[in-house]
């Protein structure tokens, strides 16, 4: 009888382990170009993820010429970005190295944009935490 109880318990334990647990929806996007079509696409993709998936976490990391998306006098999408950044699960991050190389000051960035020391390291760190990675390219 004890063997039967132990076997039944193990069976229930195994069944619970086999039931698929939902994985978090975490995505890091990598934007390095200043192409307006790529900029528009990543904004659309972020909305396509975060509108139906309220718990999704999305981070857009920009370096090289990707910074143009969030520099006040260079972007065409300031209003859309402001609306997107109202979502606490979305962050836009720019590389401090790229800012230095392009002589861009923090005051030139749109409100809510964060600065990270190294954009590539930021992406690698997110991947190490299990985030999905998407290179923005059309």
């Amino acid at each position: 009888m004890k063997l039967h109880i132990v076997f039944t318990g193990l069976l229930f334990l195994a069944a619970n382990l086999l039931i698929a647990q939902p994985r978090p929806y975490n995505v890091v996007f990598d934007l390095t170009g200043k192409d307006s079509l790529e900029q528009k696409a990543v904004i659309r993709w972020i909305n396509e993820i975060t509108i139906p998936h309220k718990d999704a976490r999305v981070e857009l990391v920009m370096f090289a010429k990707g910074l143009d998306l969030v520099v006040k006098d260079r972007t065409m999408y300031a209003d859309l970005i402001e609306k997107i950044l109202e979502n606490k699960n979305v962050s836009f991050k720019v590389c401090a190295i790229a800012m230095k190389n392009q002589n861009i000051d923090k005051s030139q960035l749109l409100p809510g944009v964060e600065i990270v020391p190294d954009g590539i390291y930021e992406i690698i760190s997110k991947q190490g935490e299990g985030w999905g990675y998407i290179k923005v390219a059309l």
Side-chain angles (χ1 to χ4, degrees), residues 70 81-82 85 90-93 106 109-115:
V70 294
I81 293 168
E82 183 179 325
L85 289 176
V90 176
S91 58
F92 281 34
K93 297 186 178 179
K106 181 177 177 149
L109 300 176
L110 295 174
V113 174
E114 301 172 50
I115 301 170

Side-chain angles (χ1 to χ4, degrees), residues 25-131:
Y25 197 156
N26 299 328
V27 180
V28 61
F29 287 98
D30 170 356
L31 178 66
T32 58
K34 65 179 185 175
D35 182 274
S36 63
L37 292 176
E38 289 180 354
Q39 293 175 352
K40 186 175 183 179
V42 75
I43 289 170
R44 184 180 71 246
W45 297 339
I46 290 169
N47 283 324
E48 288 172 348
I49 291 169
T50 58
I51 291 172
H53 305 279
K54 302 297 183 199
D55 292 335
R57 296 187 314 172
V58 176
E59 183 171 303
L60 173 59
V61 179
M62 294 155 277
F63 55 100
K65 293 296 181 180
L67 274 63
D68 285 357
L69 178 62
V70 294
V71 174
K72 291 175 185 173
D73 64 346
R74 298 181 191 174
T75 186
M76 299 184 296
Y77 304 107
D79 293 338
L80 292 172
I81 293 168
E82 183 179 325
K83 180 137 179 69
I84 288 170
L85 289 176
E86 290 174 2
N87 182 336
K88 65 177 176 55
N89 289 337
V90 176
S91 58
F92 281 34
K93 297 186 178 179
V94 296
C95 174
I97 299 167
M99 289 178 65
K100 181 180 177 186
N101 290 341
Q102 298 175 48
N103 296 313
I104 296 173
D105 184 73
K106 181 177 177 149
S107 66
Q108 295 172 269
L109 300 176
L110 295 174
V113 174
E114 301 172 50
I115 301 170
V116 295
D118 181 340
I120 294 171
Y121 185 76
E122 179 70 16
I123 292 167
I124 292 168
S125 296
K126 291 298 179 193
Q127 289 178 295
E129 296 171 12
W131 287 50

